C-alpha cells in the first residue's frame, strides 16, 4: 500500500473562534482543536488510538446487545447475564485504563515522511491546568521529547477570540527543535 504525501501547505489562521475567557476547559479545547487542524493539514494522521476506542465501544455495545436480546426467562438466563455484565465491565475497565495511561493527553498522533521514503511517528500532547495560564505543548518523537509553553493571554483576545494568527507562530520554536513547520 503506497502512502500519499501530505500537502505542505499549512492551514490558514482563523481568528473567529470564540472561547469562554474563564473556562480553561473551553480554552484548552479550542487550542487543541486549532493545533490538530494545523498539524492535520501538514502531517499524515495516525488513527490507531481512535480506531481502538471504536473497537472498545463496539465490543461493549455487542455485549450489551447480546444481554438485552438473550432469549430466556430470568432465572434460567441469570448466568448468561452475569457473564455479559462482567465482560462489559472488564472491557470498560480496559478502555478506561487505555485512555488514562496509554493515550493520556495525546491530541495528535502522526507521521512525517523522511527523505529516505520511510515515515517517522510522533505524538503531540497538551496540558492546561485549571487555574493556569500556561498552555504546555509536548512533542514526542524518536529524536527525543520536546516541550514548549505558550501564555494563553497572548493568543486569546480580551473579547474571548482565539487568535490563530498569534498562536501558530508561537508553535514554531517547538517544531524548530525537531523539524520546522513549512
Amino acid at each position: 500500500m503506497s502512502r500519499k504525501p501530505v500537502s505542505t501547505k499549512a492551514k490558514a489562521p482563523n481568528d473567529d473562534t470564540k472561547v469562554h475567557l474563564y473556562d480553561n476547559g473551553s480554552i484548552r479545547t479550542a487550542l487543541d482543536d486549532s493545533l490538530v487542524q494545523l498539524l492535520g493539514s501538514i502531517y499524515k494522521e495516525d488513527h490507531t488510538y481512535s480506531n481502538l476506542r471504536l473497537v472498545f465501544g463496539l465490543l461493549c455495545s455487542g455485549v450489551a446487545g447480546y444481554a438485552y436480546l438473550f432469549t430466556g426467562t430470568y432465572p434460567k438466563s441469570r448466568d448468561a447475564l452475569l457473564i455479559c455484565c462482567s465482560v462489559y465491565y472488564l472491557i470498560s475497565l480496559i478502555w478506561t485504563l487505555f485512555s488514562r495511561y496509554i493515550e493520556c493527553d495525546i491530541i495528535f498522533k502522526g507521521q512525517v515522511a523522511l527523505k529516505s521514503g520511510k515515515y517517522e511517528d510522533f505524538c503531540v500532547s497538551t496540558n492546561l491546568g485549571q487555574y493556569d495560564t500556561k498552555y504546555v505543548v509536548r512533542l514526542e518523537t524518536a529524536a527525543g521529547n520536546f516541550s514548549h509553553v505558550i501564555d494563553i493571554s497572548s493568543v486569546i483576545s480580551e473579547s474571548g477570540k482565539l487568535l490563530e494568527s498569534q498562536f501558530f507562530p508561537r508553535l514554531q520554536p517547538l517544531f524548530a527543535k525537531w523539524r520546522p513547520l513549512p
Side-chain angles (χ1 to χ4, degrees):
M1 179 171 120
S2 65
R3 296 182 182 181
K4 295 180 184 176
V6 178
S7 169
T8 57
K9 290 186 178 180
K11 172 185 166 292
N14 175 13
D15 291 341
D16 294 335
T17 305
K18 185 89 167 145
V19 297
H20 300 285
L21 286 176
Y22 302 105
D23 180 10
N24 274 18
S26 169
I27 293 171
R28 181 178 176 186
T29 299
L31 290 169
D32 287 352
D33 289 347
S34 178
L35 183 56
V36 166
Q37 287 178 0
L38 172 69
L39 294 173
S41 68
I42 300 171
Y43 301 111
K44 181 181 181 328
E45 188 170 2
D46 182 2
H47 298 282
T48 304
Y49 287 164
S50 58
N51 289 344
L52 279 173
R53 282 195 307 266
L54 287 171
V55 167
F56 286 138
L58 185 63
L59 288 173
C60 284
S61 298
V63 169
Y66 179 77
Y68 179 74
L69 297 173
F70 186 75
T71 55
T73 58
Y74 173 67
K76 292 180 183 177
S77 64
R78 182 172 181 256
D79 292 338
L81 291 175
L82 183 62
I83 291 170
C84 286
C85 287
S86 300
V87 169
Y88 179 88
Y89 287 117
L90 179 67
I91 294 170
S92 296
L93 175 68
I94 293 169
W95 187 355
T96 303
L97 292 174
F98 170 79
S99 296
R100 176 83 178 185
Y101 296 109
I102 296 174
E103 193 175 19
C104 299
D105 292 329
I106 293 174
I107 61 166
F108 188 85
K109 185 172 166 65
Q111 298 176 329
V112 63
L114 303 175
K115 291 179 182 177
S116 65
K118 295 182 180 180
Y119 284 84
E120 180 181 352
D121 294 333
F122 70 96
C123 294
V124 176
S125 57
T126 62
N127 191 9
L128 179 63
Q130 183 160 356
Y131 300 109
D132 200 359
T133 60
K134 305 296 183 199
Y135 180 69
V136 181
V137 182
R138 286 182 303 281
L139 176 66
E140 300 169 18
T141 69
N145 297 336
F146 311 102
S147 64
H148 186 66
V149 177
I150 298 172
D151 187 10
I152 60 173
S153 63
S154 64
V155 296
I156 297 178
S157 70
E158 291 179 4
S159 62
K161 289 191 176 185
L162 171 61
L163 305 173
E164 288 184 353
S165 59
Q166 300 292 323
F167 179 52
F168 291 169
R170 295 190 194 294
L171 294 169
Q172 287 290 352
L174 172 67
F175 286 92
K177 295 174 187 174
W178 176 54
R179 300 192 190 309
L181 289 171

